[in-house]
Amino acid sequence: MPLAIAVCVKRVPDTAADKILDPDDFTLDRDSVEAILGPVDEVAVEEALRLKEAHGGEVTVVTAGPEGALVKAARKALSMGCDRAIHLTDPALHGSDALAVAYALSMVLAGRPFDLILCGSESTDARTSLVPPALAEFLGLPGLMAAKVVTVDGAAVRIHRERDNGYDVIEAAMPAVIGVNWGANEPRYPSFKGIQTAKGKPVEVLGVAEAGIDAARVGLEGSQSRVLGVAARASARRTIVVDNKAGDAHIKLADFLQEEHFI
């Protein structure tokens, strides 16, 4: 059965880049740093493409944010092989917390005939892991999280849910929301042809009003959590010198680690 798959992606700062926060509202100044497609979202995109290759169908990439979300995140997904994109962009979304983002995405996706909605299980800038389960809740769909393996059998989707000591096998009827874990696959590199064709793929652009989003439920004012302050991590470090004049440095080091409860 051909699958209609949506995959939600986010533009995040490059892990190695220095981050700058707005001093007024403590939101990340995303235009001041190099941005990339979220690495865990990239794994979700790869999983969506593999499901499409196995079953047929179409993959739609969904992103929210300013123009950079389309250029840095959605375009990368399109160049990997996604078929079309939906870009939710509106100044009213600025400062939305995880719950507000999940609500906004649910309004974009509600009523569209997707069999599966895939997300990276976490973003590398916020790391809350809240959006995928909240999205499932808003949509009233089964939410299968921490997926390391995703398979489809008829009208059902099955995942291996990663645990510390193994995995659980979880199954649900489609449509469903899947949170894909880091390491589920090795994302493909976009080909030159893929990069070129991505520029011509259809992009549906929506604002808050067009998506039917209640503006009072998004943005800084509509979010239920807010950052009240930030501080740089202390850079001073304790230095311990272990001498080995008596040839017993290994014992001293082991004793130190044990006293500090590192081992």
Side-chain angles (χ1 to χ4, degrees):
M1 179 184 75
L3 297 172
I5 304 172
V7 57
C8 301
V9 302
K10 181 182 181 184
R11 174 186 65 153
V12 300
D14 191 323
T15 307
D18 291 331
K19 285 79 174 178
I20 299 174
L21 298 180
D22 185 309
D24 295 323
D25 60 17
F26 304 120
T27 57
L28 181 65
D29 182 355
R30 297 183 183 277
D31 294 326
S32 66
V33 296
E34 182 64 27
I36 59 173
L37 167 62
V40 191
D41 292 342
E42 196 169 342
V43 173
V45 170
E46 176 64 31
E47 201 64 31
L49 294 174
R50 292 186 184 194
L51 289 168
K52 171 190 167 184
E53 289 163 357
H55 300 276
E58 188 176 82
V59 178
T60 301
V61 58
V62 182
T63 192
E67 182 68 13
L70 173 64
V71 174
K72 296 294 184 178
R75 289 289 183 203
K76 172 76 178 291
L78 290 172
S79 68
M80 291 171 67
C82 293
D83 300 285
R84 59 182 60 246
I86 300 174
H87 180 204
L88 175 65
T89 181
D90 197 299
L93 296 168
H94 173 74
S96 296
D97 66 2
L99 196 63
V101 169
Y103 160 69
L105 290 174
S106 74
M107 293 302 293
V108 171
L109 293 165
R112 298 178 187 258
F114 290 116
D115 300 300
L116 290 173
I117 299 169
L118 270 58
C119 309
S121 60
E122 64 175 357
S123 65
T124 53
D125 54 356
R127 293 192 184 281
T128 66
S129 298
L130 292 175
V131 171
L135 178 60
E137 183 71 17
F138 278 120
L139 290 170
L141 297 177
L144 284 65
M145 302 299 136
K148 203 65 180 284
V149 174
V150 182
T151 57
V152 169
D153 184 5
V157 58
R158 188 176 300 125
I159 72 160
H160 288 185
R161 185 174 63 189
E162 191 171 23
R163 296 170 59 90
D164 290 340
N165 57 352
Y167 61 85
D168 302 322
V169 179
I170 309 292
E171 182 178 290
M174 296 188 291
V177 178
I178 312 296
V180 182
N181 265 12
W182 172 253
N185 56 55
E186 184 67 32
R188 67 194 66 186
Y189 288 103
S191 65
F192 179 74
K193 180 180 178 182
I195 295 171
Q196 292 301 310
T197 57
K199 299 174 182 175
K201 290 183 177 178
V203 177
E204 179 183 355
V205 181
L206 297 173
V208 162
E210 290 90 342
I213 294 169
D214 180 355
R217 297 179 63 180
V218 296
L220 279 171
E221 295 303 321
S223 294
Q224 298 185 32
S225 62
R226 177 173 296 185
V227 178
L228 300 178
V230 297
R233 179 182 296 177
S235 59
R237 300 195 175 193
R238 195 173 154 201
T239 302
I240 305 293
V241 177
V242 180
D243 73 71
N244 194 35
K245 294 177 182 175
D248 59 351
H250 58 293
I251 297 174
K252 293 177 180 175
L253 182 58
D255 288 344
F256 167 76
L257 293 174
Q258 191 170 38
E259 289 167 6
E260 296 294 326
H261 304 291
F262 290 125
I263 58 174

